[in-house]
Coordinates of all heavy atoms in Angstrom, one line a residue:
I209 N -8.8 -2.8 9.9 CA -7.6 -3.6 9.6 C -7.9 -4.9 8.9 O -8.8 -5.6 9.4 CB -6.9 -3.8 11.0 CG1 -6.5 -2.5 11.7 CG2 -5.6 -4.7 10.8 CD1 -6.3 -2.6 13.1
L210 N -7.3 -5.1 7.8 CA -7.6 -6.3 7.0 C -6.3 -7.1 6.8 O -5.3 -6.5 6.6 CB -8.3 -6.0 5.7 CG -9.6 -5.3 5.7 CD1 -10.1 -4.9 4.3 CD2 -10.7 -6.1 6.4
V211 N -6.4 -8.4 6.8 CA -5.2 -9.2 6.6 C -5.5 -10.6 6.0 O -6.5 -11.2 6.5 CB -4.3 -9.3 7.9 CG1 -5.1 -10.1 9.0 CG2 -3.0 -10.0 7.6
G212 N -4.8 -11.0 5.1 CA -5.0 -12.4 4.5 C -4.6 -13.4 5.5 O -3.6 -13.3 6.2
D213 N -5.4 -14.5 5.6 CA -5.1 -15.5 6.6 C -3.8 -16.2 6.4 O -3.2 -16.8 7.3 CB -6.3 -16.5 6.7 CG -6.5 -17.3 5.4 OD1 -6.0 -17.0 4.4 OD2 -7.3 -18.3 5.5
Q214 N -3.3 -16.2 5.1 CA -2.0 -16.8 4.9 C -0.9 -15.8 4.6 O 0.1 -16.2 4.0 CB -2.2 -17.8 3.6 CG -3.1 -18.9 3.9 CD -3.7 -19.5 2.7 OE1 -3.0 -19.9 1.8 NE2 -5.0 -19.5 2.6
D215 N -1.1 -14.6 5.0 CA 0.0 -13.6 4.8 C 1.2 -14.0 5.7 O 1.1 -14.0 6.9 CB -0.6 -12.2 5.1 CG 0.4 -11.1 4.8 OD1 1.6 -11.4 4.5 OD2 -0.1 -10.0 4.7
T216 N 2.3 -14.2 5.0 CA 3.5 -14.5 5.8 C 4.5 -13.2 5.9 O 5.4 -13.2 6.7 CB 4.3 -15.6 5.2 OG1 4.6 -15.3 3.8 CG2 3.6 -16.9 5.3
I217 N 4.2 -12.2 5.1 CA 5.1 -11.0 5.1 C 4.6 -10.1 6.3 O 5.4 -9.6 7.1 CB 5.0 -10.3 3.8 CG1 5.6 -11.2 2.7 CG2 5.8 -9.0 3.8 CD1 5.6 -10.6 1.3
T218 N 3.3 -9.9 6.3 CA 2.7 -9.1 7.4 C 1.6 -9.9 8.0 O 0.4 -9.7 7.6 CB 2.2 -7.7 6.9 OG1 1.4 -7.9 5.7 CG2 3.4 -6.8 6.6
P219 N 1.9 -10.9 8.8 CA 0.9 -11.9 9.2 C -0.2 -11.4 10.1 O -0.1 -10.3 10.6 CB 1.8 -13.0 9.9 CG 3.0 -12.3 10.4 CD 3.2 -11.1 9.4
P220 N -1.2 -12.2 10.3 CA -2.3 -11.8 11.2 C -1.8 -11.3 12.6 O -2.4 -10.4 13.2 CB -3.2 -13.1 11.3 CG -3.0 -13.7 10.0 CD -1.6 -13.5 9.6
A221 N -0.7 -11.9 13.1 CA -0.2 -11.4 14.4 C 0.2 -9.9 14.3 O 0.0 -9.2 15.3 CB 1.0 -12.2 14.8
A222 N 0.7 -9.5 13.2 CA 1.1 -8.1 13.0 C -0.2 -7.2 13.0 O -0.2 -6.1 13.5 CB 1.9 -7.9 11.8
A223 N -1.2 -7.7 12.4 CA -2.5 -7.0 12.3 C -3.1 -6.9 13.7 O -3.7 -5.9 14.1 CB -3.5 -7.7 11.3
E224 N -3.0 -8.0 14.5 CA -3.5 -8.0 15.9 C -2.8 -6.8 16.7 O -3.5 -6.2 17.5 CB -3.2 -9.3 16.6 CG -4.1 -10.4 16.3 CD -5.5 -10.2 17.0 OE1 -5.6 -9.3 17.8 OE2 -6.4 -10.9 16.6
T225 N -1.5 -6.6 16.5 CA -0.8 -5.6 17.2 C -1.4 -4.2 16.8 O -1.6 -3.4 17.7 CB 0.7 -5.6 16.8 OG1 1.2 -6.9 17.1 CG2 1.5 -4.6 17.6
L226 N -1.7 -4.0 15.6 CA -2.3 -2.8 15.1 C -3.7 -2.6 15.8 O -4.0 -1.6 16.3 CB -2.5 -2.8 13.6 CG -1.3 -2.7 12.7 CD1 -1.6 -2.9 11.3 CD2 -0.6 -1.3 12.9
H227 N -4.4 -3.7 15.8 CA -5.8 -3.7 16.3 C -5.8 -3.4 17.8 O -6.6 -2.6 18.3 CB -6.4 -5.1 16.1 CG -7.8 -5.3 16.5 ND1 -8.8 -4.3 16.4 CD2 -8.4 -6.3 17.2 CE1 -9.9 -4.8 16.9 NE2 -9.7 -6.0 17.4
K228 N -4.8 -4.0 18.6 CA -4.8 -3.7 20.0 C -4.3 -2.3 20.3 O -4.7 -1.7 21.2 CB -3.8 -4.7 20.7 CG -4.3 -6.1 20.8 CD -3.5 -6.9 21.8 CE -4.0 -8.3 21.9 NZ -3.0 -9.2 21.2
G229 N -3.5 -1.8 19.4 CA -2.9 -0.4 19.6 C -3.8 0.7 19.2 O -3.7 1.8 19.7
I230 N -4.7 0.4 18.3 CA -5.6 1.5 17.8 C -7.0 1.4 18.4 O -7.8 0.5 18.1 CB -5.7 1.5 16.3 CG1 -4.3 1.6 15.7 CG2 -6.6 2.7 15.8 CD1 -4.2 1.5 14.1
A231 N -7.3 2.3 19.4 CA -8.6 2.1 20.1 C -9.8 2.2 19.2 O -9.8 3.0 18.3 CB -8.7 3.3 21.1
G232 N -10.7 1.3 19.4 CA -11.9 1.2 18.6 C -11.7 0.7 17.2 O -12.7 0.7 16.4
S233 N -10.6 0.2 16.8 CA -10.4 -0.3 15.5 C -11.1 -1.6 15.3 O -11.4 -2.3 16.2 CB -8.9 -0.5 15.2 OG -8.3 -1.5 16.0
E234 N -11.3 -1.9 14.0 CA -12.0 -3.1 13.6 C -11.1 -4.0 12.8 O -10.4 -3.5 11.9 CB -13.2 -2.6 12.7 CG -14.2 -3.6 12.3 CD -15.2 -2.9 11.3 OE1 -15.6 -1.8 11.5 OE2 -15.6 -3.6 10.4
M235 N -11.0 -5.3 13.0 CA -10.1 -6.1 12.3 C -10.8 -7.4 11.7 O -11.7 -7.9 12.4 CB -9.0 -6.6 13.2 CG -8.1 -7.6 12.6 SD -6.7 -8.1 13.7 CE -6.3 -9.7 12.9
H236 N -10.5 -7.7 10.5 CA -11.0 -8.9 9.9 C -9.9 -9.7 9.2 O -9.0 -9.1 8.5 CB -12.1 -8.6 8.9 CG -13.2 -7.9 9.5 ND1 -14.2 -8.5 10.2 CD2 -13.5 -6.5 9.5 CE1 -15.1 -7.6 10.6 NE2 -14.7 -6.4 10.2
V237 N -9.9 -11.0 9.3 CA -9.0 -11.8 8.6 C -9.7 -12.3 7.3 O -10.8 -12.8 7.3 CB -8.6 -13.0 9.5 CG1 -7.6 -14.0 8.7 CG2 -7.9 -12.5 10.7
I238 N -9.0 -12.1 6.2 CA -9.6 -12.5 4.9 C -9.2 -13.9 4.5 O -8.0 -14.2 4.4 CB -9.0 -11.5 3.8 CG1 -9.2 -10.1 4.1 CG2 -9.6 -11.9 2.4 CD1 -10.6 -9.5 4.1
P239 N -10.2 -14.8 4.3 CA -9.8 -16.2 4.0 C -9.3 -16.3 2.6 O -9.5 -15.5 1.7 CB -11.2 -16.9 4.2 CG -12.2 -15.9 4.1 CD -11.6 -14.6 4.4
D240 N -8.6 -17.4 2.4 CA -8.0 -17.8 1.0 C -7.2 -16.7 0.5 O -7.2 -16.4 -0.7 CB -9.2 -18.1 0.1 CG -10.1 -19.2 0.6 OD1 -9.5 -20.2 1.1 OD2 -11.3 -19.1 0.5
A241 N -6.4 -16.0 1.3 CA -5.6 -14.9 0.8 C -4.3 -14.8 1.6 O -4.2 -15.2 2.7 CB -6.3 -13.6 0.9
A242 N -3.2 -14.4 0.9 CA -1.9 -14.2 1.6 C -1.8 -12.7 1.7 O -2.6 -12.0 2.2 CB -0.8 -14.9 0.8
H243 N -0.6 -12.1 1.1 CA -0.3 -10.7 1.2 C -1.2 -9.8 0.3 O -1.3 -8.6 0.6 CB 1.2 -10.5 0.9 CG 1.8 -9.3 1.4 ND1 1.7 -8.8 2.7 CD2 2.5 -8.3 0.7 CE1 2.4 -7.6 2.7 NE2 2.8 -7.3 1.5
M244 N -1.7 -10.4 -0.8 CA -2.4 -9.5 -1.8 C -3.9 -9.7 -1.5 O -4.7 -10.1 -2.4 CB -2.1 -9.9 -3.2 CG -0.6 -9.9 -3.5 SD 0.2 -8.3 -3.3 CE -0.6 -7.3 -4.5
S245 N -4.4 -9.5 -0.3 CA -5.7 -9.9 0.1 C -6.8 -9.2 -0.8 O -7.9 -9.7 -1.0 CB -6.0 -9.6 1.6 OG -5.8 -8.2 1.9

Side-chain angles (χ1 to χ4, degrees):
I209 298 157
L210 299 175
V211 62
D213 63 347
Q214 294 157 56
D215 189 342
T216 54
I217 297 180
T218 48
E224 277 291 349
T225 304
L226 291 171
H227 182 41
K228 286 201 185 105
I230 304 175
S233 62
E234 184 183 326
M235 172 177 159
H236 300 280
V237 177
I238 307 287
D240 303 319
H243 195 57
M244 307 301 297
S245 61

